[in-house]
Structure formats: structure tokens, C-alpha cells
Amino acid sequence: MRTLLLLGVWALCLCVFVAADTQPKGQEYDLSPEKDEVLQLTKGNFKRALRKYEQLLVYFSAPLTVEGHRVSEAFEGAAAELQGSEVKLAVIDVKNEKNLAEELNATDHTIRLYISGDKHNPVSCPVPQSAASILTWLKRRVGSASDLITDLSQIEAREELTVVGFFKELNQEYIQVFYAAATDLPDVHFAVTQNIEVISKYGLTYDTIFLLKKSKLTQAYKMLPQTAKEELIVFITVYQMDPVTEYTGKILFIWVNVEEPRNGRLMEYFRVRDFEAPLIRLVNLTDHITYHLPSETLDAETIKTFCQSYLEGTAKPKMQSEEIPEGWEEQPVKELVGMTLEEVAFNPNKTVFVLFYLPYSKASHAVFPLWEELAEALKDREDTVIARIDASANVINMSMLGSYPSLCLFPALYAERVVVYTGKRKLKDLIKFIDEEMEEAKKYRVLEDEDRRKYMKALKAEEAKKVQKIKEEL
């Protein structure tokens, strides 16, 4: 009897689990608790919330912080406005739900929009200043440039700064760039107008972006390049610097704070990492050639010199690769470029020590004599190469280099391994480092050679089987 009772209970539990697992997507779930229309999610109800709501905007909160309290209040205000819509707002307490946050690869104050139950491809949302910011971001994300068209008289009286785009056509690709900026900056007022009266009132031309505040034109910038003088200069820095006003109208200056998470896409586009700041990237919008100015100090004089060298045509462009120098293999220190870096550095039969330098950097130049001395000391070693490469003029697709100048050793292995040297910059220390890494690499090389031998043996056996099969079929 007891056995039958236990079996009955087990069957009942199984039926409940099956019913819960096969519940239709559109069916209501109990996702309580809620606070002011904002779901309080945990690992236990997160997946159910994904299934239930077409759009789920989630704030990974640190509730005991000032920022956490402010954003949570913004979420509550936005949730009240979004009642009955397809968007549901939710909060996950990162401190109490560490496992869930780690599973979703989210940290404090991360905000993500999950769409159609897809937890792997959320849309990142900038941290809002208010409930209105959230509503604006949601609206702009699904809208178009036409949503920003407004009567200019409505915004001329605003105290707030407004970014206004005056465009002749709204179906051009660059309009989407303008709209993407508006989406990423929901706390800034944006507007688009095609009103021809703007030209006569402000003396502008088509395809111009201008900043407007209380009927005062702050600055006007061309969106499209039409002459060789219309370039974009980007400062990637965490420091404040005075603008170089004499180049106004020739070069557009844009300041980018590398500590601001919302600038990540811009930094990725220009292949800039935060530790490289401060530096300058100048882009010619006519031919899209990029010029690079890394410097230990970016003062007004340095910037002026760089700008003038560009306008005079003497600045050095940053290309995928410079031209290969003639006779570079005969020099004690091999001068590498983008086209030769991987071929030389990842040679499985050579130990290669490379100096990644910046020509404008005093710290880089200070290493040059030591590098020449190192090359001279190891000139009789046929299995060792001492080289260097201008990191400002060649695209370097390696994220582990650290700040420049960077000293990186590439062991004689088939595996593409890189070891960054962080020790004392003295000859004896460098040689000791090379010798130790070479000895370490020999151990791995024995294993690599054995694996390759087994692979080749198996490959030959497979080929022999194929040949035999063909013979049998004939």
C-alpha cells in the first residue's frame, strides 16, 4: 500500500512538471513579485519572463548605490508609462543574483533589451538619466529619421542644447549614422529638418549638423565631404584639452572619453583601446585615410604641429601596412611592417623579439639604442631575430601588447604564442629572458612535433584507405 501511495505521489509530481514545461508561450505566468510595475527577476523566473514578454528591458542593479537608486526610480517611472505595451521593465539585483549575472555576462548598472526570448543577443541600452530617457531610447530604437523631423521654431526656445541635422534627402546612408547617434544619446535633444528657410536664417548649406541653444547657433559641422579640407579629427582621451581654434572650418574636432562605456563602438571602429589614450586619429572623409598621433602629452603645440603637417601633406597615414623597406633582412634590427609581421613573428623555427614603438614617443626612442645593442649581442644566433615595428603606421591586430613601447617575444612554436616582457630594460635582463623562454619553448616543441608526426601518420593512412577503395571500385 505504501509503495502504491509513493508511486501515486511521484506520478502526480511528474504530471505537474510536464504541464509546466509544456505551457503555451502566450499563457500567463506568475512572475511576482513586482515593484511599481517593475519585475524583480531571479534565476528562478528569468527564463519565464523571457518567454512571456516580447521585449524585456532589464537593469542589472546595485541597489545600495546612489546610481542604482537613481536608475531604479527611472525604471519605475518608465514602467508606469509603458503599462499595456509590449515592453516590460525588470530589475536583477546583481549582489543577490551573482550566478545569473555571471551567466548573462552582466555587471553592475548594465541595461539590456531582450527581444523575442533571445537571451544571447540582447541590445545594450545606455544608462538613462530619467524615465523620459528610457522612453526616448525605446522610441528612437524602432523609429527612423522622420520621427525626429520638427518645426525649428519649437526648439529655438529650448534652454537645452539641441543637435539639429539639416538634410536635403532622408534616404541616404549617412542619415542612419545621425539617427544611430540620437539613439545612443537619449538624454540629448535631436532634430531633423528639411526647411529651406534654415539656410537663409543661419547661413548654412545642405547636409549640415548644427548645435542650437535658445536661438543661438553654437557650431555648425558639415556631415558630407565635398572638398579636400573637410576632415574629421578624433581625440581619444580622458583629459581635457583646449581646442585649437585656428583650424575651425578645416578640421572638425571631436572629443571622446575612453572611460565612457557608450563610446565603445566608436573606439572599436577606430581600433583604439582605452590604455592607449591620449591619442589622436585624423580621418580624411574624402578618401577615408586615417592618420595617427600617439603622444605622451597632447598639448596645443603638439596638436597644431600635427594638424599643420596633415594640411601640408607631410603627415604619415596609418595603413594596414607600410611598404616593405628595401634590405630590411640585412639589418641587425629587422624593420617589420604590417605585411611582414605575422610571417616573421610566427615563424615556428625562430625566436623573434619585437619592439612595438611609436615614432612620436620619447619612451620609444629611449629603447632604440638598447634594441640595437641586443641585436648586436645576438647577431651570431641564427635561431633568434630582433625586430621592431612602427605601431602608429601599421595596423596591429594583437590585443595583448599593452601600452607602447611594448616588448613582445614570439617563441619558436607552431602555436601562435606571445609573451610580453615586463622586466628591467637592461641588456643582461633581456638576454636572460630570451634564454629562459627558449628553454621553455623547447619542451612544448617536443610535444608539438610528436602531435604533428601522429597527425601526418594518420593522414597518410587515411589517404591509403581512399586509394585502396578506389582500386577496389575499379
Side-chain angles (χ1 to χ4, degrees):
M1 184 66 180
R2 181 180 178 185
T3 303
L4 290 175
L5 180 61
L6 290 173
L7 287 174
V9 172
W10 179 84
L12 178 61
C13 293
L14 180 61
C15 290
V16 170
F17 291 143
V18 171
D21 190 56
T22 58
Q23 202 166 10
K25 183 177 180 180
Q27 188 170 327
E28 290 295 320
Y29 294 90
D30 179 13
L31 288 168
S32 57
E34 287 192 13
K35 179 184 177 183
D36 297 317
E37 303 297 330
V38 178
L39 286 175
Q40 307 298 305
L41 295 182
T42 64
K43 190 174 180 65
N45 62 7
F46 176 73
K47 290 183 179 179
R48 285 181 287 155
L50 279 183
R51 290 196 295 264
K52 179 176 180 180
Y53 297 104
E54 182 65 23
Q55 296 188 48
L56 185 66
L57 186 63
V58 181
Y59 171 46
F60 294 84
S61 169
L64 298 181
T65 64
V66 175
E67 178 82 344
H69 180 70
R70 182 184 63 77
V71 177
S72 294
E73 284 191 340
F75 259 56
E76 291 169 10
E81 297 292 331
L82 291 169
Q83 288 187 57
S85 73
E86 65 176 11
V87 183
K88 187 66 176 178
L89 272 60
V91 169
I92 294 176
D93 187 331
V94 174
K95 183 178 180 180
N96 294 332
E97 297 294 331
K98 290 181 180 179
N99 293 338
L100 178 58
E102 289 177 3
E103 178 185 335
L104 299 174
N105 194 27
T107 56
D108 295 356
H109 309 304
T110 299
I111 302 178
R112 290 176 179 168
L113 178 64
Y114 294 90
I115 303 171
S116 301
D118 184 358
K119 78 171 186 178
H120 300 293
N121 299 289
V123 180
S124 295
C125 173
V127 177
Q129 296 298 317
S130 63
S133 301
I134 297 173
L135 300 176
T136 298
W137 183 80
L138 289 168
K139 180 182 178 182
R140 290 179 183 174
R141 194 189 68 81
V142 297
S144 66
S146 59
D147 294 328
L148 293 178
I149 292 179
T150 185
D151 181 358
L152 202 61
S153 62
Q154 296 176 354
I155 61 176
E156 287 179 324
R158 281 185 180 273
E159 285 284 348
E160 300 91 346
L161 191 70
T162 302
V163 183
V164 183
F166 177 69
F167 303 118
K168 187 175 182 179
E169 302 290 342
L170 293 180
N171 58 352
Q172 300 296 323
E173 184 178 353
Y174 55 80
I175 301 296
Q176 297 307 315
V177 176
F178 181 81
Y179 201 85
T183 303
D184 285 344
L185 298 170
D187 296 303
V188 178
H189 293 283
F190 280 76
V192 170
T193 181
Q194 293 175 292
N195 192 340
I196 195 67
E197 294 178 3
V198 176
I199 292 181
S200 57
K201 185 170 183 177
Y202 293 106
L204 302 175
T205 60
Y206 282 116
D207 302 318
T208 300
I209 297 174
F210 59 96
L211 310 181
L212 192 64
K213 184 176 183 181
K214 250 191 172 180
S215 300
K216 178 183 178 182
L217 180 66
T218 306
Q219 292 202 45
Y221 299 137
K222 288 290 293 180
M223 184 81 171
L224 295 179
Q226 295 178 353
T227 68
K229 288 187 177 181
E230 290 165 2
E231 292 86 35
L232 165 69
I233 187 169
V234 180
F235 294 82
I236 312 292
T237 178
V238 295
Y239 305 111
Q240 282 289 340
M241 294 177 288
D242 295 328
V244 186
T245 54
E246 55 259 55
Y247 294 104
T248 302
K250 298 178 182 179
I251 297 175
L252 166 63
F253 290 77
I254 300 178
W255 313 90
V256 180
N257 184 354
V258 300
E259 293 182 342
E260 169 55 61
R262 288 177 291 183
N263 292 332
R265 286 196 295 178
L266 182 62
M267 293 169 63
E268 182 180 352
Y269 175 80
F270 285 105
R271 299 188 179 186
V272 170
R273 292 159 290 179
D274 55 2
F275 64 77
E276 295 179 290
L279 58 80
I280 291 175
R281 289 283 168 84
L282 188 151
V283 182
N284 185 314
L285 294 180
T286 303
D287 51 24
H288 299 286
I289 293 177
T290 301
Y291 299 80
H292 180 67
L293 174 62
S295 179
E296 293 162 332
T297 56
L298 291 182
D299 53 24
E301 196 59 39
T302 303
I303 298 170
K304 286 180 184 178
T305 302
F306 177 61
C307 291
Q308 195 60 39
S309 68
Y310 168 74
L311 295 175
E312 293 173 354
T314 59
K316 195 175 185 180
K318 183 179 180 70
M319 310 294 286
Q320 288 290 334
S321 175
E322 294 180 285
E323 292 296 323
I324 299 176
E326 185 176 350
W328 67 276
E329 292 178 294
E330 281 74 42
Q331 302 300 320
V333 176
K334 319 301 180 190
E335 189 72 39
L336 304 180
V337 296
M339 288 186 287
T340 56
L341 175 60
E342 291 192 9
E343 179 184 357
V344 173
F346 293 119
N347 185 335
N349 299 313
K350 301 277 187 180
T351 298
V352 184
F353 207 4
V354 182
L355 164 64
F356 293 82
Y357 70 91
L358 301 175
Y360 309 96
S361 166
K362 292 180 181 179
S364 290
H365 280 279
V367 183
F368 286 0
L370 174 62
W371 220 240
E372 296 285 347
E373 189 179 359
L374 178 63
E376 179 64 26
L378 303 179
K379 64 180 180 180
D380 295 328
R381 291 193 185 183
E382 295 184 359
D383 57 354
T384 306
V385 175
I386 307 300
R388 69 181 190 180
I389 184 170
D390 182 349
S392 72
N394 298 274
V395 172
I396 311 297
N397 295 316
M398 297 181 191
S399 60
M400 75 293 290
L401 298 181
S403 58
Y404 300 112
S406 183
L407 283 54
C408 300
L409 187 134
F410 299 79
L413 295 169
Y414 289 102
E416 296 182 351
R417 183 166 171 250
V418 184
V419 183
V420 180
Y421 178 74
T422 58
K424 295 180 181 179
R425 293 180 179 176
K426 294 183 178 180
L427 181 61
K428 65 176 183 178
D429 294 298
L430 292 175
I431 294 176
K432 180 182 179 182
F433 169 72
I434 293 173
D435 290 340
E436 289 176 349
E437 288 299 324
M438 290 180 72
E439 286 301 315
E440 187 71 16
K442 287 179 182 178
K443 301 176 185 177
Y444 289 104
R445 184 57 184 268
V446 171
L447 298 175
E448 281 188 338
D449 289 340
E450 179 62 20
D451 288 341
R452 286 173 62 84
R453 186 190 65 77
K454 291 179 179 178
Y455 172 77
M456 294 303 298
K457 183 179 180 180
L459 187 64
K460 289 180 179 179
E462 186 65 27
E463 288 295 324
K465 288 182 181 179
K466 291 180 180 179
V467 172
Q468 182 62 33
K469 185 177 180 180
I470 293 174
K471 288 181 179 179
E472 291 174 356
E473 291 175 351
L474 294 176

